Amino acid sequence: MGWRICKYIQHLFYRKHREGHGIHSPYLFEFVNQVVFNGGGVDIPAPILSAHRELRKERGIIPAAGGNNPTGGNNPRGAGSKVDSKETRTIQSFVRSSSVSLDQGALLFRTAHWLNPDMILELGTGLGVSTLYLAGGVGETSDREPDSFQVHTIEGDPVRADFSRQLFKRFGLNGVKVHCGDVDRMVEELAGKLPGRFLAFVDANHRYEPTLRYLRLLINSAGEEAVIIMDDIYWSKGMYRAWKEVISWPGVRVSIDLFHMGILLLRRDLQKTHLKIKI
Ligand SMILES: C[S@@+](CC[C@H](N)C(=O)[O-])C[C@H]1O[C@@H](n2cnc3c(N)ncnc32)[C@H](O)[C@@H]1O
């Protein structure tokens, strides 16, 4: 915890590249200006915001799934929650501590809106909050038909997977495919089918080795137009080590460290660049 606070204080001193200043690549300038700093003033649809706010107050219980779900409850393959390690949690507790915040959700929405990907792959659905922003961002994009893009999200805990399915149904997001199973296995199946324009959100197993393995697979399988977002890059020393290693790979052209999340851009015509941005 002390280490994380130190890193956060260090991060606060970085105020470079405000709204894209000092960035020479037009592609990167546009990404930083439009997506990171919301230069275009993209609004998040009110129904997504109000559903997220409601879930943050919802006192209903999410029971533990039991069995051998691969999520960090009983099984060491997941890293679990630092905030609430009890097996049974309230929705409120899960959403406040394990789901994206409103600002992070907005960033996911804007990324999906800007990239307009043919496929989104999320590792770690949780209760489906981040998926709402990701899928909502593409759905909101101009005249895209619902079945012209795919959204896949993987969750190991069957109770959470079911909860998220109900949430997506409520939003008419019938095309979102919730795969209930171990990311280790499912990500290999899905990585063989990645289209050129692809967006990934990696938010499942917060450990060094699996995180690197998932990212290696995605980066090697993705086309140049891919954007990969990694959550919680300072969650632990292991996650930070994974982030530092990933950004050194030749396939990663640009990395953007936002503290709570890291963004990877793969376009080969971009100069190798590492940005640290405080938003
Ligand atoms: C941080 S939560 C995801 C939160 C969600 N992305 C959001 O922001 O709303 C991580 C989820 O990943 C799941 N998970 C962790 N390790 C997993 C694994 N190996 N296979 C499948 N799911 C896993 C956990 O059950 C948990 O629900």
Side-chain angles (χ1 to χ4, degrees):
M1 193 59 146
W3 169 84
R4 202 163 176 242
I5 292 170
C6 280
K7 286 284 180 197
Y8 187 64
I9 292 168
Q10 280 173 9
H11 196 87
L12 289 181
F13 286 100
Y14 283 92
R15 287 180 184 270
K16 281 193 208 163
H17 310 300
R18 184 85 205 148
E19 274 131 52
H21 297 308
I23 294 173
H24 303 298
S25 150
Y27 176 87
L28 185 54
F29 176 86
E30 188 183 319
F31 186 85
V32 170
N33 182 274
Q34 298 291 307
V35 177
V36 177
F37 288 111
N38 196 16
V42 170
D43 287 327
I44 308 303
I48 296 183
L49 284 178
S50 61
H52 190 174
R53 290 199 178 107
E54 275 165 32
L55 290 170
R56 286 175 63 84
K57 291 190 213 139
E58 173 62 57
R59 287 169 191 267
I61 298 287
I62 283 288
N68 62 350
N69 64 311
T71 61
N74 300 328
N75 190 307
R77 275 179 294 176
S81 161
K82 278 190 173 173
V83 177
D84 185 351
S85 57
K86 289 195 295 287
E87 297 222 331
T88 293
R89 300 172 69 181
T90 59
I91 293 167
Q92 178 183 60
S93 146
F94 187 93
V95 173
R96 285 174 185 237
S97 64
S98 301
S99 299
V100 288
S101 66
L102 291 146
D103 286 346
Q104 292 158 0
L107 180 75
L108 296 181
F109 183 95
R110 291 197 298 274
T111 309
H113 185 75
W114 179 82
L115 185 67
N116 195 13
D118 296 317
M119 178 174 162
I120 293 174
L121 173 57
E122 177 179 55
L123 312 186
T125 320
L127 300 182
V129 173
S130 47
T131 330
L132 277 189
Y133 287 96
L134 290 162
V138 189
E140 282 290 302
T141 305
S142 61
D143 46 7
R144 206 84 197 245
E145 292 295 325
D147 53 2
S148 68
F149 63 95
Q150 302 173 40
V151 183
H152 296 273
T153 179
I154 308 174
E155 173 54 54
D157 182 314
V159 177
R160 293 176 198 165
D162 273 349
F163 185 98
S164 70
R165 284 191 189 103
Q166 297 306 319
L167 185 67
F168 305 149
K169 210 163 150 190
R170 223 175 92 194
F171 275 81
L173 294 169
N174 301 322
V176 176
K177 291 198 176 53
V178 182
H179 302 267
C180 185
D182 193 342
V183 169
D184 281 18
R185 189 172 51 80
M186 316 256 14
V187 73
E188 296 217 4
E189 273 172 37
L190 290 163
K193 304 175 185 160
L194 306 187
R197 251 177 328 148
F198 163 67
L199 172 60
F201 182 46
V202 177
D203 188 20
N205 194 344
H206 286 24
R207 291 177 194 276
Y208 169 77
E209 188 280 323
T211 300
L212 273 189
R213 191 158 27 87
Y214 305 151
L215 286 163
R216 187 172 292 114
L217 192 65
L218 295 178
I219 290 167
N220 290 342
S221 318
E224 283 198 51
E225 297 295 324
V227 174
I228 299 179
I229 305 182
M230 186 176 158
D231 200 34
D232 286 330
I233 56 176
Y234 289 87
W235 194 77
S236 64
K237 289 184 183 169
M239 284 296 283
Y240 183 60
R241 197 150 63 92
W243 166 253
K244 293 298 273 184
E245 199 165 322
V246 164
I247 67 177
S248 73
W249 293 347
V252 174
R253 303 309 303 159
V254 171
S255 68
I256 307 175
D257 173 347
L258 301 171
F259 194 78
H260 294 293
M261 287 176 171
I263 303 179
L264 307 171
L265 306 181
L266 310 189
R267 255 173 77 145
R268 280 192 268 286
D269 60 350
L270 291 168
Q271 251 186 12
K272 187 93 177 159
T273 309
H274 302 300
L275 304 178
K276 250 179 202 267
I277 295 180
K278 161 80 187 73
I279 43 175

